[in-house]
Amino acid sequence: MAAQEDVFKKIISHCKEYGFVFPSSDIYDGLGAVYDYGQNGVELKNNIKQYWWQYMVLLHENIVGIDSAIFMHPTIWKASGHVDAFNDPLIDNRDSKKRYRADVLIEDQMAKYDEKIDKEVAKGRKRFGDSFDEEQFRATNPRCLENAQKRDALHQRFQDAMNAEGSIDLEELKQIILDEEIVCPISGTRNWTDVRQFNLMFKTEIGAAAEGASTIYLRPETAQGIFVNYLNVQKTGRMKLPFGIAQIGKAFRNEIVARQFIFRMREFEQMEMQFFVKPGTELDWFQTWKERRMAWHQALGFGSENYRFHDHDKLAHYANAATDVEFHMPFGFKEVEGIHSRTNFDLSQHAKFSGKKIEYFDPETNEHYTPYVIETSIGVDRMFLSVICHAYEEQQLEGGDTRTVLHLPAALAPIKLAVFPLTKKDGLPEKAREIVDELKFHFNCIYEEKDQIGKRYRRQDAIGTPYCVTVDHDTLQDGCVTLRDRDTMQQQRVKIEDLRSLIEDKVSIPSLLKGLK
Ligand code: ATP
């Protein structure tokens, strides 16, 4: 675990050192849980967004995109339930003065029981060697059983408290924390305040004169911009059910427990798609979208063992199914994307609050009804984090050398090709620039002449550039260059005119998409 935390710290400093992610307002010592993307980060982020957008909008005939404003009519957030219920249950430790999410403290405690079980299993495996039967061991070992029983009991109690009639049972959450003897990780004490609710929406004012101004919210999700445009898009696009509307945009949440780098930010970006379906078909569509989204993730080649679904314990009252796609981050399996079957809750609420009829006329059955919705919602920044974490490697090379390399999928890499003249003279720089000038129309290329070739390779490895090309004296005679592959570090001599065809297909987003059905 400690080693994993170490790796995570290294990834954070790597992101800063190589222009991926900077703390916001860095020269003013930063702003909590807000980050800026640097010269390489913005390219990687744009590629992630492209990969999502092209998959959703280009490959699905019945999905279209929109780009709605961040500011919206304040009643929208009443209708959606965010004004009354977009709360986190918070608890403070009086000694450390630190504030925590009560639900997160309890979830961490459940994870501790699982860790204890895993430790017993590891011991068993060591003791019994080849004859070890993990399933039987888990089912019979007294310490495994005891911890599983504790975890399950806690799980049940937690679920009951979160799903209590009306809203979350705050007193019960505190009692669970006390009964489980959960301590503050900073002070180590159990000196807790009561649990209370905290709304996560940022408020601001629209309108110049104070008396004429009205309070509005920075949107905490992009989805509502889609719901309130359902009629506009359906009518103007003459869309037939089932159809989807996709959107990428900023969202804002005043997160209290802001930690783990860009995993939990106060300003972040979401890629959301609402898929409108005929009532009664939603659970089939929920299953379909689970499969499609998982395939999208796995097409990046990070290994299926690094993903899992986590079905929700606490279903919102309007949802009839919900799951998270979790990815194996250095700090455990964590949510990257949520897939929710939201019934007709949002459209019905907006119909009620706006007084407009929001329905679909089904030409096949001659009926009017409010469509049901399957939502897929993924954080760009969390996706970015999972990509960087998986790509990062400190590699031991033969001969005792080491290198830090980002094994980014080529289609997501910020720069696809770096072109180096071997020396800064004899016409080599001119030839190298000629290559860049030709290829830059097709993919992202850079020219580099500073330092030894070896150092230049290392710099490109560190930002995940899949290909480097070196122009040497022979190039001027034979029209060939040395093409070096980031992952294998193998070099081959290729003709300049073949470079585009050798590289373009491998680094393009369509190449990733073609791997998907
Ligand atoms: P969590 O339980 O981690 O707070 P959530 O379940 O509230 O997340 P959703 O409301 O389902 O998240 O949002 C959909 C996606 O938006 C998440 O899967 C995540 O990728 C992203 N996301 C949500 N909150 C944040 C945040 N504060 N910072 C970065 N990404 C976020």
Side-chain angles (χ1 to χ4, degrees):
M1 196 64 195
Q4 286 292 298
E5 274 165 25
D6 254 16
V7 172
F8 191 47
K9 278 192 194 141
K10 284 186 187 167
I11 291 173
I12 297 172
S13 37
H14 189 86
C15 279
K16 183 165 182 195
E17 192 179 338
Y18 287 93
F20 283 93
V21 183
F22 306 127
S24 155
S25 324
D26 205 11
I27 56 171
Y28 291 92
D29 299 329
L31 179 68
V34 186
Y35 291 89
D36 296 339
Y37 287 83
Q39 66 280 15
N40 289 316
V42 69
E43 298 290 342
L44 172 55
K45 199 176 178 212
N46 282 342
N47 291 337
I48 291 172
K49 290 194 266 187
Q50 278 293 315
Y51 177 43
W52 186 86
W53 188 266
Q54 294 194 11
Y55 173 70
M56 286 297 188
V57 179
L58 239 62
L59 297 198
H60 293 93
E61 216 172 276
N62 57 351
I63 298 181
V64 292
I66 61 163
D67 182 19
S68 70
I70 289 172
F71 293 147
M72 299 203 274
H73 196 288
T75 311
I76 287 172
W77 305 110
K78 268 301 244 191
S80 69
H82 283 83
V83 171
D84 297 320
F86 194 53
N87 298 316
D88 273 347
L90 297 184
I91 189 164
D92 291 51
N93 182 271
R94 291 200 186 87
D95 299 318
S96 66
K97 307 268 186 286
K98 287 280 170 200
R99 184 161 290 172
Y100 300 90
R101 262 171 66 175
D103 55 330
V104 171
L105 284 179
I106 296 170
E107 277 168 2
D108 287 351
Q109 177 76 358
M110 285 193 280
K112 279 194 185 135
Y113 289 124
D114 282 328
E115 276 166 30
K116 282 186 187 163
I117 295 171
D118 289 345
K119 265 195 196 148
E120 287 303 326
V121 171
K123 270 199 241 160
R125 181 171 293 115
K126 221 170 163 188
R127 182 146 36 99
F128 295 110
D130 286 345
S131 62
F132 183 63
D133 178 341
E134 181 173 333
E135 209 175 310
Q136 194 196 352
F137 187 84
R138 282 181 185 270
T140 52
N141 176 277
R143 270 188 293 271
C144 284
L145 287 174
E146 185 194 333
N147 281 305
Q149 194 257 330
K150 282 187 186 162
R151 179 204 54 208
D152 292 344
L154 173 58
H155 187 224
Q156 188 59 50
R157 220 179 138 188
F158 175 54
Q159 209 177 332
D160 291 346
M162 295 298 280
N163 290 315
E165 200 68 36
S167 74
I168 303 175
D169 184 343
L170 300 176
E171 277 174 33
E172 174 65 358
L173 283 187
K174 176 165 183 189
Q175 201 52 50
I176 294 175
I177 289 171
L178 295 178
D179 293 349
E180 288 286 325
E181 304 187 343
I182 296 173
V183 298
C184 164
I186 309 279
S187 66
T189 71
R190 286 183 243 146
N191 194 3
W192 296 109
T193 61
D194 286 343
V195 180
R196 63 200 191 298
Q197 298 274 31
F198 175 81
N199 194 290
L200 296 176
M201 282 197 294
F202 285 99
K203 276 186 203 161
T204 186
E205 282 177 356
I206 200 160
E211 60 276 17
S214 70
T215 301
I216 53 164
Y217 301 96
L218 296 188
R219 66 181 180 196
E221 60 174 36
T222 57
Q224 297 305 323
I226 294 179
F227 290 125
V228 299
N229 276 297
Y230 161 79
L231 279 182
N232 284 337
V233 174
Q234 196 271 321
K235 291 211 166 108
T236 58
R238 293 181 298 152
M239 308 300 290
K240 291 219 159 45
L241 286 195
F243 76 92
I245 304 179
Q247 162 156 249
I248 299 179
K250 286 272 174 127
F252 305 83
R253 296 182 187 178
N254 199 359
E255 301 277 4
I256 288 308
V257 187
R259 48 175 187 172
Q260 286 160 336
F261 191 38
I262 55 173
F263 182 78
R264 194 175 294 290
M265 303 156 89
R266 296 201 167 106
E267 173 179 342
F268 58 101
E269 213 166 352
Q270 289 186 314
M271 307 189 280
E272 296 198 295
M273 193 278 298
Q274 316 291 324
F275 200 70
F276 300 95
V277 304
K278 186 174 178 173
T281 64
E282 73 276 9
L283 291 179
D284 287 340
W285 279 112
F286 176 72
Q287 195 53 38
T288 301
W289 278 107
K290 269 178 84 167
E291 287 160 17
R292 287 184 185 172
R293 293 305 305 145
M294 190 54 106
W296 180 89
H297 283 280
Q298 294 195 1
L300 291 174
F302 297 164
S304 54
E305 70 284 4
N306 287 312
Y307 298 90
R308 68 182 189 197
F309 285 116
H310 173 244
D311 295 332
H312 282 202
D313 285 331
K314 179 180 189 280
L315 276 185
H317 60 93
Y318 50 83
N320 61 5
T323 195
D324 296 334
V325 177
E326 294 188 337
F327 183 75
H328 195 190
M329 304 267 194
F331 43 92
F333 271 94
K334 294 287 167 192
E335 170 182 346
V336 175
E337 171 160 6
I339 302 169
H340 313 121
S341 173
R342 301 177 64 101
T343 68
N344 61 4
F345 173 77
D346 303 86
L347 291 183
S348 306
Q349 284 291 100
H350 289 306
K352 189 166 127 197
F353 280 74
S354 67
K356 304 281 184 319
K357 202 162 146 190
I358 307 181
E359 285 185 343
Y360 177 73
F361 173 70
D362 192 330
E364 278 168 25
T365 60
N366 276 336
E367 287 171 290
H368 287 273
Y369 52 75
T370 311
Y372 272 40
V373 171
I374 305 300
E375 157 180 273
T376 71
S377 171
I378 170 169
V380 181
D381 313 87
R382 276 194 199 173
M383 187 62 203
F384 185 108
L385 184 61
S386 61
V387 170
I388 283 271
C389 287
H390 192 270
Y392 182 88
E393 189 193 10
E394 286 171 20
Q395 205 175 28
Q396 296 292 333
L397 303 174
E398 277 170 32
D401 209 1
T402 59
R403 68 166 182 163
T404 303
V405 52
L406 290 186
H407 299 285
L408 295 172
L412 299 187
I415 293 163
K416 313 302 184 187
L417 174 71
V419 184
F420 311 147
L422 186 63
T423 62
K424 285 189 219 171
K425 47 184 203 277
D426 305 332
L428 302 187
E430 289 77 4
K431 191 76 201 161
R433 284 208 187 273
E434 225 176 78
I435 296 174
V436 172
D437 285 343
E438 161 73 23
L439 294 177
K440 70 186 177 192
F441 293 99
H442 307 287
F443 44 81
N444 212 350
C445 309
I446 57 155
Y447 170 88
E448 250 243 69
E449 60 174 26
K450 205 170 162 284
D451 298 322
Q452 304 278 4
I453 291 287
K455 269 199 177 166
R456 287 185 243 171
Y457 281 152
R458 290 291 174 274
R459 268 205 302 276
Q460 296 306 318
D461 289 343
I463 61 169
T465 305
Y467 299 105
C468 295
V469 144
T470 303
V471 172
D472 56 26
H473 291 91
D474 290 341
T475 306
L476 305 179
Q477 262 67 55
D478 64 6
C480 290
V481 289
T482 306
L483 177 68
R484 184 246 196 198
D485 179 284
R486 175 196 69 199
D487 296 336
T488 62
M489 294 191 286
Q490 270 169 4
Q491 308 188 359
Q492 51 168 325
R493 211 61 198 160
V494 301
K495 284 211 167 73
I496 293 174
E497 63 257 34
D498 292 342
L499 276 175
R500 181 176 162 200
S501 63
L502 280 171
I503 297 172
E504 190 173 21
D505 196 39
K506 296 199 187 106
V507 302
S508 75
I509 293 201
S511 73
L512 268 183
L513 295 171
K514 280 179 196 158
L516 273 158
K517 281 276 173 308

